[in-house]
Amino acid sequence: METMAKKKSISLVLGSGGARGLAHIGIIKWLEENDYEIKAIAGCSMGALVGGIHAIGQLDEFETWVRGITKTDMLALMDVSFGMDGLIKGDRIINTLRNLVGEALIEDLPVEFTAVAANISKRKEVWFRQGPVFEAIKASISLPLIFKPYRLNGDDLIDGGILNPVPIAPTFSNQTEYTVAVNLCAPQVEGIEISSSKHREEPSGDRSIVSNAIRDFATTLTDKLTQSRVDIRAYEIVYKSFDAMQGTIARQKIAAYPPDCLLEIPANLCSMMEFDAAAPLIEFGYKKAARELPDKLCD
């Protein structure tokens, strides 16, 4: 009588890096298709978002949605605040995702999940291991100057990438066979850049209806942005500065706490905000995993 082979257990560490984090989806898909069981996830920023949605069990729904997203859609999802502590409140993005995939408590998830944020007053990491998944994600993705900080017990929490863009430490006590970490801020590779304008998928009919409604809203929002004379270049400089800082910290963290397997996504694969390049980014992550993990995960 044949017996099914036991799946190898994985602790998955999903790093911070904006839109490049969509490559996490492809990596997760490859692991699941090749009989690896993801028992635990530690994520930071975009890694927390993708990891949390996977832990809820709705990654396929999120993938379908994000593959159809456009620059106009992204603009519409940005609830601009024009405040001194952040350009975007972040509520509209989080509520859209919550409505798309549902909400859950971290402690009720079938996968052990940790979202990492940073307490800037106390200069330390904050690990979310209980409470609503999307509240933890909101804290973890609060990129300075872009998203308003997340308030918790009177303290401001911001993007965990400030202190730990590849949060391996939360997996130390896990009883899994392998720890696989994904660094989205690896050194640049010449000629690897992805262009969203060439690769973006056209949305389905139903998605087009939604997109049309979003575009109506986006027109009004664009007028507001123009009237406020927001210096977009200033925010681009913030993105690049944050990216460079994360890359340096990631190298230090990985050297101090090397995982069993490391997948490195070049920092110049796409810009931090190029979420409309979902299709090629997901494919890149899948092919990266297929090319490198079989050798790294062999006994």
Side-chain angles (χ1 to χ4, degrees):
M1 180 176 179
E2 294 185 1
T3 58
M4 292 183 62
K6 181 178 177 292
K7 291 185 177 181
K8 294 180 180 178
S9 58
I10 299 289
S11 290
L12 188 58
V13 180
L14 301 178
S16 169
R20 292 190 299 276
L22 294 174
H24 291 323
I25 298 174
I27 293 167
I28 291 172
K29 287 169 68 72
W30 186 89
L31 285 168
E32 293 203 317
E33 288 177 9
N34 288 273
D35 294 327
Y36 292 96
E37 183 178 9
I38 300 170
K39 300 283 287 184
I41 298 173
C44 176
S45 195
M46 192 62 184
L49 191 153
V50 173
I53 292 174
H54 174 67
I56 291 174
Q58 299 293 319
L59 191 60
D60 288 345
E61 286 74 6
F62 174 70
E63 179 184 352
T64 299
W65 178 78
V66 79
R67 279 178 177 271
I69 206 164
T70 66
K71 282 185 168 64
T72 303
D73 296 338
M74 286 304 303
L75 181 62
L77 289 170
M78 296 179 182
D79 40 357
V80 180
S81 67
F82 302 117
M84 296 299 292
D85 54 354
L87 177 65
I88 302 164
K89 294 177 184 177
D91 293 336
R92 185 173 290 127
I93 294 173
I94 291 297
N95 289 337
T96 297
L97 293 174
R98 186 184 280 118
N99 291 335
L100 178 71
V101 305
E103 179 64 280
L105 295 176
I106 295 174
E107 55 267 35
D108 294 338
L109 296 174
V111 175
E112 183 178 326
F113 176 65
T114 305
V116 178
N119 184 318
I120 53 174
S121 298
K122 297 177 180 176
R123 300 183 181 183
K124 67 177 185 179
E125 296 175 33
V126 177
W127 295 0
F128 285 85
R129 288 181 153 170
Q130 60 182 11
V133 172
F134 277 103
E135 289 303 299
I137 291 172
K138 186 176 180 181
S140 188
I141 67 171
S142 295
L143 184 67
L145 293 184
I146 308 302
F147 290 98
K148 293 175 71 69
Y150 182 88
R151 295 286 288 179
L152 180 68
N153 300 326
D155 289 331
D156 285 330
L157 305 187
I158 59 175
D159 194 308
I162 287 286
L163 297 177
N164 196 351
V166 188
I168 298 170
T171 68
F172 284 171
S173 62
N174 293 348
Q175 300 299 310
T176 53
E177 294 171 78
Y178 297 101
T179 297
V180 176
V182 185
N183 174 23
L184 299 179
C185 302
Q188 297 187 8
V189 175
E190 186 176 352
I192 203 169
E193 295 85 353
I194 284 174
S195 171
S196 62
S197 61
K198 292 182 180 179
H199 294 91
R200 185 180 63 79
E201 294 184 349
E202 291 301 320
S204 65
D206 291 341
R207 184 77 182 101
S208 297
I209 294 173
V210 174
S211 295
N212 289 336
I214 289 176
R215 288 190 184 95
D216 291 340
F217 170 81
T219 301
T220 302
L221 183 57
T222 302
D223 291 341
K224 290 181 180 179
L225 285 167
T226 302
Q227 292 167 9
S228 68
R229 297 181 180 178
V230 174
D231 186 354
I232 300 301
R233 172 145 178 81
Y235 287 96
E236 290 177 354
I237 292 172
V238 170
Y239 297 150
K240 292 178 180 179
S241 300
F242 189 68
D243 230 6
M245 180 195 67
Q246 285 191 122
T248 299
I249 298 173
R251 286 193 296 273
Q252 295 172 346
K253 293 287 186 180
I254 292 166
Y257 309 110
D260 297 309
C261 308
L262 175 65
L263 293 176
E264 299 218 272
I265 308 297
N268 64 323
L269 182 63
C270 72
S271 71
M272 289 185 71
M273 300 301 287
E274 204 164 0
F275 289 95
D276 55 325
L281 287 168
I282 293 168
E283 181 181 9
F284 183 92
Y286 187 93
K287 289 183 176 179
K288 180 84 170 176
R291 186 167 58 249
E292 298 184 18
L293 286 183
D295 289 337
K296 294 182 177 182
L297 293 178
C298 64
D299 291 326

